Amino acid sequence: MMSRTIRAERVGVTREQILTAAERLFAEYGVCAASNRRISEAAGQGNTAAVGYHFGGKADLVRAIVRRHAEPIEELRARMVTAAERSGDVRAWVSCMVRPVTEHLAALGSPTWYARFLAQVGTDPALCEILDEENRTSPSLRRAVEGFTRCLPGLPAAVQDERGAMTRQLILHTCAERERALARGAATPRASWHDAATGLIDALVGLWLAPPTHPT
């Protein structure tokens, strides 16, 4: 009889294989186009119902992929937030939002799929709330937003909300476009994820410090 330890190890391996296959297929073809059957086959599972057995619905699978990456990103951001704790510099706090993601992508090696996966989920009306929910549970992100807000110029609340949405989209899709280019072997504007983050931070600092034009 198979011991509980061996069975648990096999289940863990199977789950990882499914998560890896799902992340890649979601990134390359979109969440709707990647069926559970297709994911199971890509993960090397003879049972095409393996995804449903291990993860339930598609939303649960998406949430599991997000949480798979959340811990290393959280660790990176927590260190950066601690270093920036007393800073009144907008750039320092924007860096706390950008570099944990880009450094994590760099650490994954090549190719990666996570940035494109996030872009797909972030534009799916049925699933984008998962990203918002997971972000709200991040202690380091909450501290980063609080520190960032403290050093902002006096922007109206509506402008802050507007630029916050722009910031999320710019980070999401800039990383996804770079990841897509790297996967295709295409040229990129910046040589490394570190340099790409620098360019993105430059743009976001300019976005937040630009004076608002009041509606006429």
Side-chain angles (χ1 to χ4, degrees), residues 9-50:
E9 289 176 352
R10 291 188 177 180
V11 169
V13 169
T14 299
R15 286 175 62 88
E16 284 299 306
Q17 291 171 335
I18 291 172
L19 289 173
T20 298
E23 183 178 320
R24 177 177 63 82
L25 292 174
F26 288 163
E28 293 181 339
Y29 302 105
V31 179
C32 292
S35 66
N36 284 0
R37 173 184 290 273
R38 188 175 183 182
I39 293 168
S40 295
E41 291 172 350
Q45 302 302 309
N47 181 2
T48 56

mmCIF file of all heavy atoms in Angstrom, residues 9-50:
data_model
loop_
_atom_site.group_PDB
_atom_site.id
_atom_site.type_symbol
_atom_site.label_atom_id
_atom_site.label_comp_id
_atom_site.label_asym_id
_atom_site.label_seq_id
_atom_site.Cartn_x
_atom_site.Cartn_y
_atom_site.Cartn_z
ATOM 1 N N GLU A 9 3.501 13.395 -1.728
ATOM 2 C CA GLU A 9 4.540 13.908 -2.625
ATOM 3 C C GLU A 9 4.077 13.861 -4.079
ATOM 4 O O GLU A 9 4.301 14.802 -4.844
ATOM 5 C CB GLU A 9 5.819 13.097 -2.448
ATOM 6 C CG GLU A 9 6.531 13.353 -1.118
ATOM 7 C CD GLU A 9 7.737 12.470 -0.937
ATOM 8 O OE1 GLU A 9 7.938 11.549 -1.766
ATOM 9 O OE2 GLU A 9 8.481 12.662 0.041
ATOM 10 N N ARG A 10 3.432 12.766 -4.452
ATOM 11 C CA ARG A 10 2.945 12.637 -5.828
ATOM 12 C C ARG A 10 1.856 13.655 -6.126
ATOM 13 O O ARG A 10 1.807 14.223 -7.217
ATOM 14 C CB ARG A 10 2.440 11.221 -6.067
ATOM 15 C CG ARG A 10 3.555 10.179 -6.084
ATOM 16 C CD ARG A 10 3.037 8.820 -6.518
ATOM 17 N NE ARG A 10 4.127 7.852 -6.597
ATOM 18 C CZ ARG A 10 3.959 6.583 -6.946
ATOM 19 N NH1 ARG A 10 2.739 6.131 -7.250
ATOM 20 N NH2 ARG A 10 4.994 5.764 -6.996
ATOM 21 N N VAL A 11 0.980 13.869 -5.155
ATOM 22 C CA VAL A 11 -0.062 14.877 -5.330
ATOM 23 C C VAL A 11 0.567 16.251 -5.498
ATOM 24 O O VAL A 11 0.156 17.042 -6.359
ATOM 25 C CB VAL A 11 -1.034 14.873 -4.133
ATOM 26 C CG1 VAL A 11 -1.948 16.098 -4.169
ATOM 27 C CG2 VAL A 11 -1.874 13.605 -4.135
ATOM 28 N N GLY A 12 1.599 16.537 -4.694
ATOM 29 C CA GLY A 12 2.287 17.825 -4.801
ATOM 30 C C GLY A 12 2.930 18.020 -6.156
ATOM 31 O O GLY A 12 2.847 19.103 -6.748
ATOM 32 N N VAL A 13 3.567 16.975 -6.678
ATOM 33 C CA VAL A 13 4.196 17.048 -7.997
ATOM 34 C C VAL A 13 3.137 17.279 -9.076
ATOM 35 O O VAL A 13 3.322 18.108 -9.979
ATOM 36 C CB VAL A 13 5.002 15.765 -8.288
ATOM 37 C CG1 VAL A 13 5.432 15.724 -9.751
ATOM 38 C CG2 VAL A 13 6.221 15.686 -7.381
ATOM 39 N N THR A 14 2.036 16.552 -8.980
ATOM 40 C CA THR A 14 0.955 16.694 -9.963
ATOM 41 C C THR A 14 0.394 18.107 -9.958
ATOM 42 O O THR A 14 0.173 18.713 -11.018
ATOM 43 C CB THR A 14 -0.174 15.693 -9.679
ATOM 44 O OG1 THR A 14 0.346 14.363 -9.785
ATOM 45 C CG2 THR A 14 -1.332 15.871 -10.655
ATOM 46 N N ARG A 15 0.177 18.643 -8.782
ATOM 47 C CA ARG A 15 -0.350 20.008 -8.677
ATOM 48 C C ARG A 15 0.611 21.022 -9.314
ATOM 49 O O ARG A 15 0.188 21.928 -10.025
ATOM 50 C CB ARG A 15 -0.604 20.361 -7.205
ATOM 51 C CG ARG A 15 -1.843 19.683 -6.616
ATOM 52 C CD ARG A 15 -1.954 19.984 -5.120
ATOM 53 N NE ARG A 15 -2.102 21.394 -4.865
ATOM 54 C CZ ARG A 15 -3.275 22.047 -4.829
ATOM 55 N NH1 ARG A 15 -4.412 21.379 -5.026
ATOM 56 N NH2 ARG A 15 -3.326 23.338 -4.567
ATOM 57 N N GLU A 16 1.902 20.851 -9.069
ATOM 58 C CA GLU A 16 2.893 21.768 -9.653
ATOM 59 C C GLU A 16 2.903 21.665 -11.178
ATOM 60 O O GLU A 16 3.016 22.673 -11.873
ATOM 61 C CB GLU A 16 4.281 21.463 -9.080
ATOM 62 C CG GLU A 16 4.495 21.958 -7.658
ATOM 63 C CD GLU A 16 4.357 23.471 -7.557
ATOM 64 O OE1 GLU A 16 5.051 24.186 -8.306
ATOM 65 O OE2 GLU A 16 3.529 23.932 -6.752
ATOM 66 N N GLN A 17 2.796 20.441 -11.681
ATOM 67 C CA GLN A 17 2.760 20.258 -13.137
ATOM 68 C C GLN A 17 1.535 20.928 -13.747
ATOM 69 O O GLN A 17 1.616 21.555 -14.807
ATOM 70 C CB GLN A 17 2.771 18.765 -13.472
ATOM 71 C CG GLN A 17 4.088 18.073 -13.156
ATOM 72 C CD GLN A 17 4.002 16.570 -13.289
ATOM 73 O OE1 GLN A 17 2.918 15.974 -13.165
ATOM 74 N NE2 GLN A 17 5.138 15.930 -13.534
ATOM 75 N N ILE A 18 0.422 20.824 -13.075
ATOM 76 C CA ILE A 18 -0.808 21.449 -13.563
ATOM 77 C C ILE A 18 -0.687 22.973 -13.514
ATOM 78 O O ILE A 18 -1.059 23.672 -14.470
ATOM 79 C CB ILE A 18 -2.023 20.977 -12.738
ATOM 80 C CG1 ILE A 18 -2.312 19.503 -13.031
ATOM 81 C CG2 ILE A 18 -3.257 21.827 -13.046
ATOM 82 C CD1 ILE A 18 -3.361 18.890 -12.124
ATOM 83 N N LEU A 19 -0.162 23.502 -12.433
ATOM 84 C CA LEU A 19 -0.006 24.954 -12.302
ATOM 85 C C LEU A 19 0.917 25.509 -13.385
ATOM 86 O O LEU A 19 0.636 26.559 -13.982
ATOM 87 C CB LEU A 19 0.536 25.309 -10.914
ATOM 88 C CG LEU A 19 -0.433 25.131 -9.745
ATOM 89 C CD1 LEU A 19 0.286 25.364 -8.419
ATOM 90 C CD2 LEU A 19 -1.622 26.070 -9.866
ATOM 91 N N THR A 20 2.017 24.812 -13.641
ATOM 92 C CA THR A 20 2.965 25.258 -14.665
ATOM 93 C C THR A 20 2.312 25.250 -16.044
ATOM 94 O O THR A 20 2.440 26.212 -16.820
ATOM 95 C CB THR A 20 4.212 24.361 -14.673
ATOM 96 O OG1 THR A 20 4.872 24.470 -13.402
ATOM 97 C CG2 THR A 20 5.179 24.770 -15.773
ATOM 98 N N ALA A 21 1.607 24.170 -16.351
ATOM 99 C CA ALA A 21 0.949 24.069 -17.657
ATOM 100 C C ALA A 21 -0.150 25.112 -17.806
ATOM 101 O O ALA A 21 -0.282 25.750 -18.864
ATOM 102 C CB ALA A 21 0.364 22.663 -17.832
ATOM 103 N N ALA A 22 -0.929 25.313 -16.756
ATOM 104 C CA ALA A 22 -2.024 26.282 -16.821
ATOM 105 C C ALA A 22 -1.493 27.700 -16.985
ATOM 106 O O ALA A 22 -2.022 28.482 -17.792
ATOM 107 C CB ALA A 22 -2.871 26.185 -15.554
ATOM 108 N N GLU A 23 -0.451 28.038 -16.250
ATOM 109 C CA GLU A 23 0.121 29.382 -16.359
ATOM 110 C C GLU A 23 0.595 29.652 -17.792
ATOM 111 O O GLU A 23 0.339 30.718 -18.359
ATOM 112 C CB GLU A 23 1.280 29.525 -15.384
ATOM 113 C CG GLU A 23 1.915 30.899 -15.356
ATOM 114 C CD GLU A 23 3.029 30.992 -14.337
ATOM 115 O OE1 GLU A 23 2.889 30.429 -13.229
ATOM 116 O OE2 GLU A 23 4.065 31.622 -14.650
ATOM 117 N N ARG A 24 1.255 28.670 -18.380
ATOM 118 C CA ARG A 24 1.755 28.841 -19.745
ATOM 119 C C ARG A 24 0.612 28.973 -20.748
ATOM 120 O O ARG A 24 0.620 29.866 -21.606
ATOM 121 C CB ARG A 24 2.651 27.660 -20.125
ATOM 122 C CG ARG A 24 3.154 27.714 -21.571
ATOM 123 C CD ARG A 24 4.100 26.577 -21.878
ATOM 124 N NE ARG A 24 3.477 25.272 -21.769
ATOM 125 C CZ ARG A 24 2.735 24.715 -22.719
ATOM 126 N NH1 ARG A 24 2.501 25.365 -23.861
ATOM 127 N NH2 ARG A 24 2.214 23.517 -22.543
ATOM 128 N N LEU A 25 -0.369 28.098 -20.653
ATOM 129 C CA LEU A 25 -1.482 28.127 -21.610
ATOM 130 C C LEU A 25 -2.335 29.387 -21.445
ATOM 131 O O LEU A 25 -2.767 29.988 -22.438
ATOM 132 C CB LEU A 25 -2.343 26.876 -21.455
ATOM 133 C CG LEU A 25 -1.671 25.565 -21.878
ATOM 134 C CD1 LEU A 25 -2.563 24.371 -21.555
ATOM 135 C CD2 LEU A 25 -1.335 25.580 -23.373
ATOM 136 N N PHE A 26 -2.593 29.789 -20.203
ATOM 137 C CA PHE A 26 -3.338 31.025 -19.979
ATOM 138 C C PHE A 26 -2.585 32.212 -20.571
ATOM 139 O O PHE A 26 -3.183 33.113 -21.158
ATOM 140 C CB PHE A 26 -3.554 31.253 -18.484
ATOM 141 C CG PHE A 26 -4.549 30.333 -17.841
ATOM 142 C CD1 PHE A 26 -4.588 30.179 -16.466
ATOM 143 C CD2 PHE A 26 -5.454 29.609 -18.599
ATOM 144 C CE1 PHE A 26 -5.502 29.341 -15.853
ATOM 145 C CE2 PHE A 26 -6.385 28.758 -18.008
ATOM 146 C CZ PHE A 26 -6.403 28.629 -16.618
ATOM 147 N N ALA A 27 -1.261 32.223 -20.391
ATOM 148 C CA ALA A 27 -0.448 33.334 -20.887
ATOM 149 C C ALA A 27 -0.435 33.391 -22.403
ATOM 150 O O ALA A 27 -0.534 34.470 -22.999
ATOM 151 C CB ALA A 27 0.983 33.200 -20.360
ATOM 152 N N GLU A 28 -0.316 32.231 -23.039
ATOM 153 C CA GLU A 28 -0.136 32.201 -24.491
ATOM 154 C C GLU A 28 -1.445 32.253 -25.269
ATOM 155 O O GLU A 28 -1.478 32.782 -26.389
ATOM 156 C CB GLU A 28 0.644 30.941 -24.875
ATOM 157 C CG GLU A 28 2.102 30.960 -24.373
ATOM 158 C CD GLU A 28 2.869 29.716 -24.780
ATOM 159 O OE1 GLU A 28 2.224 28.693 -25.090
ATOM 160 O OE2 GLU A 28 4.115 29.761 -24.773
ATOM 161 N N TYR A 29 -2.530 31.708 -24.698
ATOM 162 C CA TYR A 29 -3.769 31.591 -25.470
ATOM 163 C C TYR A 29 -4.963 32.286 -24.827
ATOM 164 O O TYR A 29 -6.007 32.407 -25.464
ATOM 165 C CB TYR A 29 -4.115 30.110 -25.671
ATOM 166 C CG TYR A 29 -3.018 29.353 -26.376
ATOM 167 C CD1 TYR A 29 -2.187 28.475 -25.682
ATOM 168 C CD2 TYR A 29 -2.782 29.533 -27.744
ATOM 169 C CE1 TYR A 29 -1.157 27.786 -26.323
ATOM 170 C CE2 TYR A 29 -1.759 28.855 -28.390
ATOM 171 C CZ TYR A 29 -0.950 27.986 -27.678
ATOM 172 O OH TYR A 29 0.069 27.315 -28.313
ATOM 173 N N GLY A 30 -4.816 32.744 -23.584
ATOM 174 C CA GLY A 30 -5.937 33.356 -22.886
ATOM 175 C C GLY A 30 -6.635 32.360 -21.978
ATOM 176 O O GLY A 30 -6.580 31.146 -22.199
ATOM 177 N N VAL A 31 -7.278 32.875 -20.964
ATOM 178 C CA VAL A 31 -7.903 32.008 -19.958
ATOM 179 C C VAL A 31 -9.063 31.218 -20.548
ATOM 180 O O VAL A 31 -9.221 30.025 -20.270
ATOM 181 C CB VAL A 31 -8.378 32.855 -18.758
ATOM 182 C CG1 VAL A 31 -9.048 31.970 -17.711
ATOM 183 C CG2 VAL A 31 -7.195 33.598 -18.122
ATOM 184 N N CYS A 32 -9.870 31.851 -21.371
ATOM 185 C CA CYS A 32 -11.045 31.167 -21.918
ATOM 186 C C CYS A 32 -10.657 30.062 -22.899
ATOM 187 O O CYS A 32 -11.344 29.039 -22.997
ATOM 188 C CB CYS A 32 -11.963 32.173 -22.617
ATOM 189 S SG CYS A 32 -12.751 33.335 -21.487
ATOM 190 N N ALA A 33 -9.573 30.251 -23.633
ATOM 191 C CA ALA A 33 -9.185 29.293 -24.668
ATOM 192 C C ALA A 33 -8.528 28.042 -24.098
ATOM 193 O O ALA A 33 -8.437 27.019 -24.795
ATOM 194 C CB ALA A 33 -8.241 29.957 -25.665
ATOM 195 N N ALA A 34 -8.065 28.102 -22.852
ATOM 196 C CA ALA A 34 -7.357 26.966 -22.254
ATOM 197 C C ALA A 34 -8.337 26.164 -21.385
ATOM 198 O O ALA A 34 -8.612 26.524 -20.245
ATOM 199 C CB ALA A 34 -6.179 27.440 -21.423
ATOM 200 N N SER A 35 -8.861 25.080 -21.940
ATOM 201 C CA SER A 35 -9.809 24.252 -21.195
ATOM 202 C C SER A 35 -9.074 23.391 -20.164
ATOM 203 O O SER A 35 -7.865 23.176 -20.253
ATOM 204 C CB SER A 35 -10.568 23.336 -22.157
ATOM 205 O OG SER A 35 -9.666 22.400 -22.747
ATOM 206 N N ASN A 36 -9.831 22.895 -19.198
ATOM 207 C CA ASN A 36 -9.241 22.002 -18.197
ATOM 208 C C ASN A 36 -8.651 20.749 -18.844
ATOM 209 O O ASN A 36 -7.605 20.254 -18.429
ATOM 210 C CB ASN A 36 -10.297 21.607 -17.159
ATOM 211 C CG ASN A 36 -10.588 22.719 -16.178
ATOM 212 O OD1 ASN A 36 -10.011 23.801 -16.265
ATOM 213 N ND2 ASN A 36 -11.486 22.460 -15.237
ATOM 214 N N ARG A 37 -9.321 20.243 -19.862
ATOM 215 C CA ARG A 37 -8.815 19.065 -20.572
ATOM 216 C C ARG A 37 -7.459 19.368 -21.210
ATOM 217 O O ARG A 37 -6.525 18.579 -21.091
ATOM 218 C CB ARG A 37 -9.814 18.625 -21.643
ATOM 219 C CG ARG A 37 -9.303 17.505 -22.562
ATOM 220 C CD ARG A 37 -10.301 17.204 -23.652
ATOM 221 N NE ARG A 37 -11.484 16.553 -23.124
ATOM 222 C CZ ARG A 37 -11.609 15.239 -22.959
ATOM 223 N NH1 ARG A 37 -10.613 14.422 -23.297
ATOM 224 N NH2 ARG A 37 -12.713 14.722 -22.487
ATOM 225 N N ARG A 38 -7.368 20.511 -21.861
ATOM 226 C CA ARG A 38 -6.114 20.892 -22.531
ATOM 227 C C ARG A 38 -4.984 21.077 -21.503
ATOM 228 O O ARG A 38 -3.840 20.691 -21.748
ATOM 229 C CB ARG A 38 -6.330 22.178 -23.311
ATOM 230 C CG ARG A 38 -5.164 22.565 -24.210
ATOM 231 C CD ARG A 38 -5.520 23.795 -25.037
ATOM 232 N NE ARG A 38 -4.456 24.140 -25.951
ATOM 233 C CZ ARG A 38 -4.490 25.202 -26.755
ATOM 234 N NH1 ARG A 38 -5.533 26.009 -26.737
ATOM 235 N NH2 ARG A 38 -3.477 25.449 -27.571
ATOM 236 N N ILE A 39 -5.313 21.665 -20.364
ATOM 237 C CA ILE A 39 -4.310 21.865 -19.309
ATOM 238 C C ILE A 39 -3.845 20.520 -18.764
ATOM 239 O O ILE A 39 -2.647 20.290 -18.571
ATOM 240 C CB ILE A 39 -4.885 22.740 -18.174
ATOM 241 C CG1 ILE A 39 -5.146 24.163 -18.687
ATOM 242 C CG2 ILE A 39 -3.924 22.783 -16.987
ATOM 243 C CD1 ILE A 39 -5.975 25.008 -17.751
ATOM 244 N N SER A 40 -4.775 19.623 -18.528
ATOM 245 C CA SER A 40 -4.421 18.290 -18.020
ATOM 246 C C SER A 40 -3.486 17.568 -18.978
ATOM 247 O O SER A 40 -2.487 16.966 -18.568
ATOM 248 C CB SER A 40 -5.686 17.457 -17.789
ATOM 249 O OG SER A 40 -6.482 18.010 -16.772
ATOM 250 N N GLU A 41 -3.790 17.649 -20.263
ATOM 251 C CA GLU A 41 -2.947 16.987 -21.266
ATOM 252 C C GLU A 41 -1.560 17.622 -21.309
ATOM 253 O O GLU A 41 -0.545 16.931 -21.395
ATOM 254 C CB GLU A 41 -3.619 17.071 -22.631
ATOM 255 C CG GLU A 41 -4.884 16.211 -22.728
ATOM 256 C CD GLU A 41 -5.653 16.434 -24.020
ATOM 257 O OE1 GLU A 41 -5.307 17.396 -24.748
ATOM 258 O OE2 GLU A 41 -6.585 15.656 -24.311
ATOM 259 N N ALA A 42 -1.490 18.958 -21.249
ATOM 260 C CA ALA A 42 -0.200 19.652 -21.278
ATOM 261 C C ALA A 42 0.627 19.341 -20.033
ATOM 262 O O ALA A 42 1.866 19.376 -20.074
ATOM 263 C CB ALA A 42 -0.420 21.156 -21.394
ATOM 264 N N ALA A 43 -0.052 19.023 -18.936
ATOM 265 C CA ALA A 43 0.639 18.683 -17.691
ATOM 266 C C ALA A 43 1.042 17.213 -17.641
ATOM 267 O O ALA A 43 1.605 16.748 -16.641
ATOM 268 C CB ALA A 43 -0.252 19.016 -16.496
ATOM 269 N N GLY A 44 0.720 16.464 -18.702
ATOM 270 C CA GLY A 44 1.095 15.059 -18.756
ATOM 271 C C GLY A 44 0.213 14.153 -17.924
ATOM 272 O O GLY A 44 0.643 13.072 -17.502
ATOM 273 N N GLN A 45 -1.023 14.584 -17.703
ATOM 274 C CA GLN A 45 -1.945 13.800 -16.884
ATOM 275 C C GLN A 45 -2.849 12.941 -17.771
ATOM 276 O O GLN A 45 -3.526 13.462 -18.658
ATOM 277 C CB GLN A 45 -2.798 14.734 -16.012
ATOM 278 C CG GLN A 45 -1.998 15.626 -15.088
ATOM 279 C CD GLN A 45 -1.115 14.827 -14.149
ATOM 280 O OE1 GLN A 45 -1.583 13.907 -13.473
ATOM 281 N NE2 GLN A 45 0.163 15.174 -14.107
ATOM 282 N N GLY A 46 -2.840 11.646 -17.522
ATOM 283 C CA GLY A 46 -3.697 10.747 -18.287
ATOM 284 C C GLY A 46 -5.163 11.000 -18.026
ATOM 285 O O GLY A 46 -6.012 10.820 -18.909
ATOM 286 N N ASN A 47 -5.481 11.428 -16.815
ATOM 287 C CA ASN A 47 -6.857 11.739 -16.450
ATOM 288 C C ASN A 47 -7.147 13.185 -16.840
ATOM 289 O O ASN A 47 -6.608 14.121 -16.250
ATOM 290 C CB ASN A 47 -7.049 11.549 -14.943
ATOM 291 C CG ASN A 47 -8.476 11.840 -14.506
ATOM 292 O OD1 ASN A 47 -9.338 12.156 -15.313
ATOM 293 N ND2 ASN A 47 -8.713 11.742 -13.206
ATOM 294 N N THR A 48 -7.983 13.385 -17.834
ATOM 295 C CA THR A 48 -8.256 14.733 -18.317
ATOM 296 C C THR A 48 -9.095 15.549 -17.329
ATOM 297 O O THR A 48 -9.283 16.749 -17.540
ATOM 298 C CB THR A 48 -8.981 14.689 -19.669
ATOM 299 O OG1 THR A 48 -10.177 13.901 -19.544
ATOM 300 C CG2 THR A 48 -8.075 14.081 -20.734
ATOM 301 N N ALA A 49 -9.579 14.911 -16.272
ATOM 302 C CA ALA A 49 -10.326 15.638 -15.236
ATOM 303 C C ALA A 49 -9.426 16.027 -14.069
ATOM 304 O O ALA A 49 -9.906 16.455 -13.020
ATOM 305 C CB ALA A 49 -11.488 14.782 -14.730
ATOM 306 N N ALA A 50 -8.104 15.911 -14.257
ATOM 307 C CA ALA A 50 -7.162 16.150 -13.156
ATOM 308 C C ALA A 50 -7.242 17.579 -12.616
ATOM 309 O O ALA A 50 -7.119 17.803 -11.407
ATOM 310 C CB ALA A 50 -5.736 15.842 -13.609
#
